[in-house]
């Protein structure tokens, strides 16, 4: 079988990816080619494999089969071009470090582990905190930040990495309105710089507004492409499996955005 090649301009290309936990597949035969400079929403029900998809791209979970290419090379070779914002709950926020420390650690890919963070990178970390509206909280212990502020620390950390391709796992989960606006502004700044962001997203009502591209996922890719073509009642029903509560959410989402569901 020939191995597909992908030009270096493609930020993320996934071929034939299958991931299993304890031999039970949770992602099956995933094929995706993500175009450059897009804000991409990953949408699907709980347990659909959205986080697993991100983790498989970042070599955080083993792949049963398939390949992931980042700008035409393996993730291992390209990790300096990739930023990751994990789920907020996946982190021990009691760890005794300041917001500035967490952001500065994001630059380690550039300066190497175990070297002291120099003035240049501290400045970069400070600027990144400023971009997410947290300059005044730089020296506060992360345990003493609100949930929304913690989420913004993560975003600042990703910014300090100055990546080309970002993976964000539910950055909008349980954040206040100010943080939500800050995240949207930031996503647009990244897009304007030609960067590509893949964002796990739960709120169907804002998919049309926030994303130019959508991956509808439920163990398999139900449909992926420009939001206009993919975020339709038909494909959403296939993704959410027709359960009553999910479908009424879908209906509400489409009514709010397009009035399209009948
Ligand atoms: P989503 O992000 O769409 O909610 P996940 O990727 O977190 O979905 O999970 C997909 C499936 O894999 C779920 O059934 C979940 O229970 C299972 N799963 C996730 N992580 C693990 C793990 N570390 N070990 C075993 N099963 C897991």
């Amino acid at each position: 079988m020939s191995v597909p090649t992908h030009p270096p301009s493609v930020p993320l290309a996934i071929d034939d990816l299958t991931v299993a936990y304890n031999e039970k597949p949770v992602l099956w035969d995933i094929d995706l080619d993500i175009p450059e400079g897009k804000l991409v929403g990953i949408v699907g029900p709980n347990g659909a494999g959205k986080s697993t998809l991100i983790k498989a791209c970042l070599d955080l979970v083993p792949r049963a089969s398939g390949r992931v290419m980042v700008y035409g090379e393996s993730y291992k070779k390209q990790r300096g071009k990739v930023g990751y914002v994990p789920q907020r709950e996946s982190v021990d926020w009691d760890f005794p470090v300041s917001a500035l420390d967490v952001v500065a650690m994001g630059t380690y890919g550039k300066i190497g582990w175990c070297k002291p963070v120099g003035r240049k990178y501290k400045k970069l970390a400070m600027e990144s905190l400023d971009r997410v509206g947290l300059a005044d909280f730089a020296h506060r212990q992360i345990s003493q930040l609100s949930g929304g502020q913690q989420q913004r620390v993560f975003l600042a950390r990703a910014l300090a990495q100055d990546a080309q391709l970002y993976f964000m796992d539910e950055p909008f989960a349980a954040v206040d309105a100010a943080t939500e606006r800050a995240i949207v502004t930031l996503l647009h700044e990244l897009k304007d710089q030609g960067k590509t962001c893949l964002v796990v997203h739960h709120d169907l009502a804002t998919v049309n507004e926030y994303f130019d591209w959508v991956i509808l996922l439920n163990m398999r890719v139900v449909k992926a492409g420009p939001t206009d073509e993919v975020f339709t009642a038909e494909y959403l029903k296939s993704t959410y499996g027709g359960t009553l509560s999910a479908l009424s959410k879908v209906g509400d989402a489409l009514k709010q955005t397009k009035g399209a569901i009948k």
Side-chain angles (χ1 to χ4, degrees), residues 101-120:
D101 293 332
V102 172
V103 177
M105 281 180 226
T107 63
Y108 277 13
K110 292 196 172 60
I111 59 180
W113 281 101
C114 305
K115 294 195 187 146
V117 180
R119 197 182 299 166
K120 180 177 156 204

Side-chain angles (χ1 to χ4, degrees), residues 141-152:
Q141 294 284 303
I142 54 168
S143 61
Q144 288 159 20
L145 296 171
S146 72
Q149 289 166 339
Q150 289 173 343
Q151 191 64 62
R152 282 194 259 172

